Amino acid sequence: MREHDRLFIDGDWAAPAGTGTIEVVSPHTEQAVGRVPEGTEADIDAAVAAARRAFDHGPWPRMTPAERAAVLGRLADIYAERQQEMADLITEEMGSPILFSVFGQAAMAQMVLRYYADLAAGYAWEDERAGMLGPVTVTREPVGVVAAIYPWNVPQFTLMMKLAPALAAGCTVVAKPSPEAPLDAYVLAEWIREAGVPEGVVNIVPAGREVGAYLVAHPGVDKVAFTGSTAAGRAIGAVCGEKLRRVTLELGGKSAAIILEDADLAATVEGLKTASLMNNGEACAAQTRILAPRSRYDEVADALAAMVGGLAVGDPADYGTEIGPLVTRRQQDRVEGYIRIGQDEGAKIITGGLDRPHDRGWYVAPTVFAGVRNDMRIAREEIFGPVLALIPYEDEDDAVRIANDSDYGLGGSVWTADVDHGVEVARRIRTGSCGINLYVLDPNTPFGGFKDSGLGRELGPEGLEAYLEHKAIPRPS
């Protein structure tokens, strides 16, 4: 049992203003594994005030980029040395299979941190331009105090996509972890102190939605960076629009994996284990619509059912586990509700269904629906669990049409023996990223969505630019 009774504010552990607590329950054992204070509006006030002082008067934004990069580099080194500790903790608190926690949670967070440490050291923070009316210096300066609000499914990675570029830019941060998975943030806070990040630069307040909304609207905040549901993103975007506050929104997805006629089916189905079912299917970019040519539809259905039906479902701490439990009973109920919806809509379950694979824990059987139309709810709404919809298409143009016929536009993939042709198809898909014979997020490239999948981009130089303001300084010739 991991017990914490303080919040990380102004570089130290501060007593919370309230008496409420958040209990963290293992989705595998259904037993409590941790407890942290539940942040209040008064705690947000204290955290924002600390971040405001650190930005307005502290050393961090006034350091050279190279000095900030050195601090970020120390933090990245600490993270690399203790990555396993972080992976184990994330698996314990939210049920991610340990192999994914090692490589897709902790390692990716560390890579993002290292990437921005290196980028900050060599980035063009200002440039000289020969303006039409005279010389101009253009500088790039930190946007200010950042509210970083992030979800439970990949907590360190989604936080680091905000924290690392914000710190590299010279911003200060108030981070609000999800109440389902706040424990990993406490470990990170200790590493932040050890790395020598100045007081007030990073503040961490676990809390629920209402307190998160208070943070979004707080007058001391200059920018909001949010990862979560599209519904919550709309509400946050409305507040930021009214206040003319900078905002980045990484929201939901219903990504399509297009299997072309010439695809190697065995390799494709093996690749879809990760692309479609990463992190128990609790991933915004998961390829949960599988588009197969009608000429190979039955073949694809058999191969997909065999792969998904053969996945090892069980204790997420076991390195042989491929699918673990969902994060909460509420999420288990939600996903099973969608399985019922799929049945009611007339789709056919070809593996999985409503028989739970374990009596204890919030498990759902990995499920594949065949006979799915793209207008069904299971093809249009984000389920956020191990449920796949297999949709037939007539020809390549039809596949592109179906892939683009979605309110979302976050990820996608094309599976083919001809990589160059796969790239041509990917260019026609209206999504922020689309892999060929794989799906990965690279810290060096932008990640974000079209349409209802959000606003702005994280990762890559574009992710750093989201935390910068541009200033023009013209002068006489």
Side-chain angles (χ1 to χ4, degrees):
M1 186 74 174
R2 300 170 186 265
E3 297 267 8
H4 301 282
D5 60 1
R6 295 288 188 272
L7 302 170
F8 189 65
I9 296 176
D10 207 11
D12 205 352
W13 296 107
T19 59
T21 60
I22 296 169
E23 187 172 73
V24 183
V25 177
S26 162
H28 172 61
T29 66
E30 301 185 36
Q31 301 297 312
V33 294
R35 188 174 294 110
V36 304
E38 183 175 18
T40 65
E41 293 181 0
D43 296 314
I44 293 295
D45 287 340
V48 172
R52 190 80 260 167
R53 286 192 301 271
F55 184 78
D56 292 339
H57 308 293
W60 188 251
R62 292 157 190 86
M63 289 180 175
T64 66
E67 289 171 332
R68 290 197 297 270
V71 177
L72 289 179
R74 287 198 297 273
L75 180 55
D77 289 342
I78 293 168
Y79 211 121
E81 291 169 1
R82 304 174 198 172
Q83 207 165 276
Q84 186 67 48
E85 176 187 353
M86 186 65 80
D88 289 341
L89 179 53
I90 292 172
T91 288
E92 182 179 38
E93 68 180 340
M94 59 72 57
S96 180
I98 186 62
L99 273 177
F100 186 83
S101 286
V102 169
F103 296 108
Q105 303 255 22
M108 284 297 292
Q110 192 274 338
M111 287 173 62
V112 172
L113 187 56
R114 174 62 64 190
Y115 170 77
Y116 282 108
D118 293 342
L119 181 64
Y123 189 74
W125 294 96
E126 65 176 55
D127 64 89
E128 294 294 326
R129 302 185 189 179
M132 296 180 70
L133 303 176
V136 181
T137 299
V138 178
T139 67
R140 294 156 185 83
E141 302 178 4
V143 70
V145 174
V146 174
I149 302 174
Y150 61 100
W152 47 262
N153 62 322
V154 273
Q156 282 290 297
F157 182 46
T158 52
L159 170 60
M160 206 57 71
M161 288 196 290
K162 301 159 182 57
L163 183 65
L167 294 184
C171 298
T172 60
V173 178
V174 177
K176 192 203 79 67
S178 162
E180 287 83 8
L183 298 177
D184 56 281
Y186 279 79
V187 174
L188 179 63
E190 289 290 359
W191 297 352
I192 286 170
R193 294 180 71 185
E194 188 176 338
V197 177
E199 295 176 357
V201 172
V202 180
N203 308 271
I204 301 173
V205 181
R209 290 188 182 126
E210 294 79 9
V211 173
Y214 182 77
L215 173 60
V216 167
H218 200 287
V221 168
D222 298 301
K223 175 184 170 67
V224 175
F226 172 76
T227 297
S229 72
T230 296
R234 289 185 192 279
I236 290 169
V239 172
C240 292
E242 181 196 1
K243 296 180 178 295
L244 296 179
R245 181 163 296 168
R246 279 71 178 144
V247 63
T248 301
L249 302 172
E250 194 274 286
L251 308 176
K254 194 69 180 179
S255 301
I258 301 176
I259 302 174
L260 297 185
E261 289 269 5
D262 65 351
D264 179 329
L265 189 53
T268 295
V269 168
E270 184 64 25
L272 291 176
K273 275 188 184 181
T274 301
S276 300
L277 295 163
M278 65 181 99
N279 200 32
N280 308 327
E282 295 170 315
C284 53
Q287 327 281 286
T288 53
R289 288 186 297 153
I290 313 299
L291 276 53
R294 194 172 292 281
S295 62
R296 300 187 69 185
Y297 189 80
D298 291 344
E299 181 188 2
V300 172
D302 290 344
L304 196 61
M307 181 274 284
V308 174
L311 293 172
V313 181
D315 185 349
D318 185 333
Y319 276 83
T321 292
E322 295 170 295
I323 298 290
L326 301 186
V327 66
T328 60
R329 186 180 302 280
R330 181 180 70 253
Q331 188 66 14
Q332 180 190 46
D333 291 341
R334 169 186 166 85
V335 173
E336 289 181 340
Y338 272 104
I339 293 174
R340 294 186 182 92
I341 287 169
Q343 292 176 306
D344 292 343
E345 289 180 312
K348 177 185 176 183
I349 293 174
I350 57 175
T351 190
L354 292 170
D355 290 336
R356 294 177 178 174
H358 295 280
D359 293 333
R360 184 188 68 175
W362 297 312
Y363 289 88
V364 171
T367 299
V368 179
F369 280 100
V372 179
R373 300 187 315 273
N374 201 51
D375 62 353
M376 291 180 174
R377 288 182 63 188
I378 59 170
R380 304 203 69 80
E381 298 178 14
E382 187 174 39
I383 297 174
F384 226 61
V387 179
L388 307 182
L390 181 59
I391 303 171
Y393 68 83
E394 301 301 331
D395 55 25
E396 198 170 279
D397 288 341
D398 192 38
V400 170
R401 179 192 63 77
I402 293 170
N404 287 334
D405 180 16
S406 174
D407 293 334
Y408 298 105
L410 187 58
S413 56
V414 180
W415 304 81
T416 176
D418 184 343
V419 171
D420 290 340
H421 181 62
V423 172
E424 292 175 5
V425 175
R427 292 181 186 277
R428 300 173 65 190
I429 309 303
R430 296 283 295 169
T431 62
S433 58
C434 189
I436 311 301
N437 295 335
L438 49 73
Y439 187 77
V440 295
L441 301 182
D442 190 308
N444 192 33
T445 59
F447 175 66
F450 291 20
K451 299 183 279 188
D452 288 0
S453 289
L455 298 172
R457 293 295 183 267
E458 296 183 303
L459 300 178
E462 295 82 359
L464 177 60
E465 289 159 9
Y467 295 89
L468 297 173
E469 296 279 18
H470 290 73
K471 178 187 291 182
I473 306 176
R475 56 189 186 276
S477 302

